[in-house]
Amino acid sequence: VEGLIDSDVVVGYPFPLTKEHYTISIKGLRELSGAPLEGEEVGHAPDVADQHEAKEEGRTSRAHYIDVLVKDIEKLDEGEWLNDTLIDFFMQWMVRNETSNLCHVFTTHFYTRLEKQGPEAVTRWTSKKKINIFELKVIFVPINLNLHWSCCIIVNPGEILNHIEKLETKADFENSDDRRPCILFFDSLRMHAPRTIQKHVLLWLNSEWKRLERPIPGKRENVFTKNTMELFRPEVTRQRNFSDCGVFC
């Protein structure tokens, strides 16, 4: 980035390259795991946000791109904090070869707006793009609160009615092959309040369920509750400083 100013674009994703150009550009590069990048297919990231959301978030009109600027690259220096652009970039890169359409990655602004303004404020994130979240297996929700990153993963939300039926019949989950709906929460500092995050996610799931006019069994007011959509906190490696939470996210 030598010779560039903070606002200069270093890279835009997805890359507008042919497979040949892509292969040449990654020659000799390796993943963090050490695996070579040679031979990978060109990735195509899904839309980051629609035009309205992009303008509100200060993005350019190329809403389907993530522009990484010089000032963003500087956040990769030791001791710096990763920002939303870098997290969004990595999330989209992570699912670049996903072709099943069974997972979705929200931007870092999604949960912030959900918590501050409620489910109605994020309805267009799915309705305008005709996304039915109950057809998805995995939904990634990166979270930034109080200068700290964590990650929420919503698993199998469309299986909620089958799960409720099993709960009511006291089925044996240990020997069941059914896909259990749940929320996984990862926090390398245990700084964020998981129950608060679960509450807002459940409000959004119920809002989407009603928006799509899906059935609500019995006399239930909502299908997604803390009992039907449990939150689990898998054991994760704890960070040893106060700057690497974005990496762990």
Side-chain angles (χ1 to χ4, degrees):
V1 296
E2 185 176 352
L4 301 178
I5 61 175
D6 283 353
S7 59
D8 283 340
V9 177
V10 178
V11 62
Y13 188 80
F15 308 128
L17 302 174
T18 64
K19 182 176 180 179
E20 179 182 3
H21 289 150
Y22 182 80
T23 302
I24 293 173
S25 68
I26 65 172
K27 185 176 182 180
L29 298 179
R30 293 181 176 274
E31 295 272 11
L32 186 61
S33 64
L37 285 174
E38 284 88 355
E40 285 205 3
E41 297 291 334
V42 179
H44 297 281
D47 288 352
V48 173
D50 64 27
Q51 293 282 17
H52 176 73
E53 291 157 358
K55 289 179 180 178
E56 286 189 355
E57 295 167 9
R59 296 180 182 271
T60 67
S61 60
R62 299 188 308 162
H64 59 291
Y65 278 92
I66 300 174
D67 287 334
V68 180
L69 310 181
V70 171
K71 62 182 180 181
D72 300 319
I73 295 295
E74 292 171 348
K75 297 295 183 182
L76 294 172
D77 291 342
E78 185 175 355
E80 293 287 340
W81 297 345
L82 298 189
N83 63 9
D84 56 345
T85 299
L86 295 174
I87 296 295
D88 287 340
F89 177 91
F90 176 76
M91 288 289 191
Q92 299 295 351
W93 176 261
M94 181 177 62
V95 299
R96 66 193 181 282
N97 292 324
E98 173 58 45
T99 58
S100 67
N101 295 320
L102 294 178
C103 79
H104 184 74
V105 176
F106 281 110
T107 71
T108 54
H109 298 278
F110 173 80
Y111 182 81
T112 302
R113 184 175 298 182
L114 170 63
E115 181 172 299
K116 290 183 177 179
Q117 302 178 34
E120 296 78 12
V122 294
T123 297
R124 296 180 70 254
W125 290 57
T126 50
S127 64
K128 186 171 183 179
K129 300 172 193 173
K130 302 186 185 306
I131 297 174
N132 184 343
I133 63 170
F134 305 110
E135 294 177 350
L136 304 173
K137 286 187 177 181
V138 181
I139 303 169
F140 293 90
V141 183
I143 298 170
N144 184 270
L145 297 170
N146 302 319
L147 304 178
H148 177 61
W149 288 103
S150 63
C151 186
C152 174
I153 302 178
I154 303 166
V155 181
N156 295 324
E159 297 292 328
I160 190 66
L161 292 185
N162 291 333
H163 184 59
I164 290 175
E165 183 180 354
K166 285 189 171 294
L167 288 173
E168 292 177 344
T169 58
K170 297 182 171 20
D172 184 2
F173 289 105
E174 294 298 326
N175 299 317
S176 174
D177 293 329
D178 289 344
R179 294 172 294 183
R180 183 175 184 174
C182 65
I183 299 171
L184 303 178
F185 181 65
F186 302 87
D187 185 347
S188 58
L189 275 182
R190 291 185 174 269
M191 181 180 291
H192 292 162
R195 297 306 170 190
T196 299
I197 290 169
Q198 181 188 29
K199 179 185 71 173
H200 290 291
V201 170
L202 292 177
L203 286 172
W204 173 66
L205 288 172
N206 283 312
S207 176
E208 286 290 288
W209 189 268
K210 293 173 183 176
R211 179 180 71 81
L212 295 171
E213 299 181 345
R214 297 178 70 91
I216 300 178
K219 298 181 179 180
R220 292 176 177 271
E221 181 178 353
N222 295 304
V223 293
F224 292 96
T225 68
K226 63 180 181 180
N227 295 321
T228 62
M229 192 71 170
E230 289 186 85
L231 181 143
F232 297 98
R233 303 181 68 180
E235 190 64 35
V236 297
T237 303
R238 301 289 294 275
Q239 66 185 88
R240 299 182 179 181
N241 56 34
F242 293 99
S243 59
D244 284 342
C245 54
V247 178
F248 284 79
C249 171

